[in-house]
Amino acid sequence: MNIALIIVAAGSSTRMGGKIKKEYLSLNNGTVLSEAALSFLKTKKISNVTIVCPKDKDPDAQKAFYSNPETRLLTQNIPVSFIKGGASRQESVFNALNFLQTEKPDIVLIHDGARPFLTSELVEATIKNTVKYNASVPALTPIDTQKEIDENGFIVRHLTRKMLSAVQTPQGFSFEKIFTAHQKARIDGKEYTDDTEIFDNYNTEKTFVFDGEEKNKKITYKDDVNLLNENSLCEINSKSGVSKMIRTGLGYDKHRLVENRRLIIGGVEIPFEKGEDGHSDGDAVLHAVTDAVLGAAHLGDIGSYFPDTDPQYKNADSKNLLAFAWKDVKNAGFNLENLDIVLILQSPKFLPYRNAVIKSIAEILEVPEDKVFIKAKTAEHLGDAGNGLCLEVYASCLLSK
Ligand code: MG
């Protein structure tokens, strides 16, 4: 059986407010357009693909379609055409049907390029029902009670929700029947809202309605993309991360070890004969962490936040300094993915305090402990750190938003 797929992506996306057409926005491993096509291609039942776009052989549409290597792989042996759409959706679909007439497919599936979240099961169901009924469409019963209103906004009819259906795409048709119907509609010069209406108007058969998918939403407003991306953020992230902004940060600090000072590491006091010199309490670990997170968020550094010339930070608790800076990072919309720290300390032995330090830092940042790690290295008695004159810290963090 010859099954043609038409994807309509000719609109200007005026409701999106952006410069990029919604079908070309990044999603998963490709774009909205490539993801819309994939569920069809994965069934291995599609004989040819026609993308209706702003111009013939549109390079932007081709780039968006092939953005996911999987679409290229799955279309290796089937023709894919990029043809110019019309001023309306109806005209765009007509152009595609007209283009396909030499191919003479048995059935044609017409899908919105801005519906990327359908499953292959829905495609299979559309094919099956179209073969059986000549016309079929997935739909959902509206959640909200529906009313018919007049032009002034007053209710004129109370509709029965159970008898209503919000139709989705793909809409499947016998090619011959929908093409004939479109030709007649064109001669009549009438504008229809979708292809099922055109089919119904020029055929005695009815369109079969079956269960659609809730997630098969049409991206209409820019917020839809954000919302949908947020909903599937983990999925997107695990697949190579589109849409989620990732920033790394690196912090470094070095303090002298002197007598009559406390040794404070990551907010935990460790008994030792020397402690960190410094204007504040000298907690070099927390200073490096503060610099890492501020840097990743492009907010500044510890020196610009808490100048050591300012008397108010004399002997300051570095936990408060980090908490203050971290609040700004959070307010800028960032979350901590992880924080990893290297502490270069000849002595004392750090390992007995490691868990307490991890807990302390996680508490300051209000994150689970498994997002924070720290390990100590001796400097093999080399250099200032190795001779116990100082300690050094490197902190690396990953932020996302
Ligand atoms: Mg410091």
Side-chain angles (χ1 to χ4, degrees):
M1 194 190 319
N2 186 318
I3 301 174
L5 168 63
I6 296 173
I7 297 183
V8 188
S12 62
S13 300
T14 46
R15 275 180 285 188
M16 295 290 286
K19 284 193 182 117
I20 303 177
K21 263 170 70 58
K22 58 189 170 187
E23 292 87 350
Y24 303 168
L25 291 171
S26 292
L27 185 69
N28 296 349
N29 283 351
T31 55
V32 170
L33 180 62
S34 69
E35 302 316 281
L38 269 180
S39 296
F40 291 88
L41 299 172
K42 281 178 181 169
T43 65
K44 307 265 175 82
K45 289 184 177 166
I46 304 300
S47 313
N48 54 75
V49 181
T50 306
I51 311 285
V52 193
C53 41
K55 28 184 189 192
D56 278 324
K57 300 191 171 62
D58 195 323
D60 292 334
Q62 294 195 40
K63 202 172 140 197
F65 181 81
Y66 292 116
S67 56
N68 185 336
E70 222 181 334
T71 44
R72 188 174 289 277
L73 195 72
L74 290 168
T75 52
Q76 261 174 350
N77 300 314
I78 62 171
V80 180
S81 311
F82 296 83
I83 69 156
K84 189 177 186 301
S88 63
R89 187 181 191 282
Q90 185 174 334
E91 213 179 312
S92 290
V93 173
F94 176 82
N95 288 358
L97 295 169
N98 197 42
F99 173 79
L100 283 167
Q101 62 173 314
T102 47
E103 183 84 27
K104 287 205 178 10
D106 299 295
I107 66 171
V108 59
L109 306 176
I110 304 168
H111 187 62
D112 296 329
R115 285 188 196 266
F117 298 104
L118 77 165
T119 66
S120 292
E121 287 76 49
L122 191 72
V123 175
E124 297 272 10
T126 313
I127 294 171
K128 193 185 88 188
N129 288 318
T130 304
V131 169
K132 195 167 172 188
Y133 300 105
N134 283 324
S136 78
V137 61
L140 293 176
T141 303
I143 293 165
D144 298 320
T145 302
Q146 309 281 305
K147 308 289 179 188
E148 191 178 317
I149 57 169
D150 63 19
E151 63 274 15
N152 299 315
F154 293 97
I155 293 174
V156 291
R157 209 150 64 98
H158 301 273
L159 305 167
T160 310
R161 200 173 61 88
K162 272 190 289 184
M163 302 301 286
L164 295 170
S165 264
V167 301
Q168 305 182 331
T169 72
Q171 306 194 343
F173 304 96
S174 136
F175 175 78
E176 210 187 295
K177 287 176 191 282
I178 191 68
F179 186 40
T180 308
H182 259 274
Q183 284 172 310
K184 286 179 181 167
R186 201 173 165 83
I187 292 164
D188 286 350
K190 283 189 186 165
E191 281 268 353
Y192 295 92
T193 53
D194 76 343
D195 302 296
T196 61
E197 194 183 358
I198 298 173
F199 184 89
D200 274 359
N201 244 301
Y202 301 100
N203 279 281
T204 49
E205 293 153 279
K206 287 179 175 168
T207 302
F208 180 71
V209 176
F210 60 97
D211 285 344
E213 290 176 333
E214 248 170 66
K215 66 176 198 171
N216 182 20
K217 286 192 173 75
K218 186 173 182 175
I219 294 170
T220 309
Y221 298 96
K222 202 160 190 180
D223 279 353
D224 294 344
V225 182
N226 297 337
L227 195 68
L228 295 163
N229 276 336
E230 267 169 32
N231 286 343
S232 50
L233 211 51
C234 295
E235 196 184 332
I236 290 166
N237 226 19
S238 68
K239 284 180 181 169
S240 89
V242 181
S243 306
K244 195 172 185 179
M245 189 201 276
I246 297 285
R247 315 264 306 200
T248 70
L250 178 65
Y252 169 78
D253 205 5
K254 179 177 186 172
H255 280 227
R256 282 175 199 279
L257 289 172
V258 296
E259 284 174 7
N260 302 317
R261 289 280 295 183
R262 297 184 300 158
L263 178 62
I264 300 177
I265 293 182
V268 175
E269 186 167 347
I270 294 176
F272 190 51
E273 72 229 21
K274 288 181 183 176
E276 295 135 307
D277 198 5
H279 183 63
S280 65
D281 62 5
D283 192 331
V285 165
L286 294 190
H287 296 174
V289 171
T290 306
D291 262 348
V293 297
L294 284 175
H298 201 267
L299 285 174
D301 62 28
I302 193 165
S304 62
Y305 261 72
F306 315 108
D308 60 9
T309 49
D310 191 333
Q312 69 165 308
Y313 300 120
K314 183 147 177 60
N315 296 321
D317 185 340
S318 298
K319 286 193 296 230
N320 296 336
L321 305 185
L322 174 57
F324 185 91
W326 179 240
K327 207 172 132 206
D328 277 5
V329 175
K330 293 278 284 183
N331 286 341
F334 290 99
N335 292 303
L336 182 74
E337 292 296 332
N338 80 305
L339 170 67
D340 195 15
I341 303 159
V342 179
L343 167 66
I344 302 165
L345 179 68
Q346 189 61 47
S347 62
K349 286 242 174 293
F350 176 68
L351 198 57
Y353 305 100
R354 170 147 82 189
N355 289 342
V357 170
I358 289 174
K359 187 165 181 278
S360 162
I361 296 171
E363 264 170 24
I364 300 165
L365 300 175
E366 297 178 318
V367 297
E369 285 176 36
D370 68 1
K371 296 205 171 201
V372 178
F373 198 72
I374 180 166
K375 61 266 184 182
K377 303 299 241 185
T378 70
E380 300 280 348
H381 300 288
L382 294 168
D384 290 344
N387 286 301
L389 298 174
C390 68
L391 58 71
E392 287 181 88
V393 184
Y394 295 87
S396 161
C397 72
L398 192 68
L399 304 184
S400 67
K401 84 168 175 182

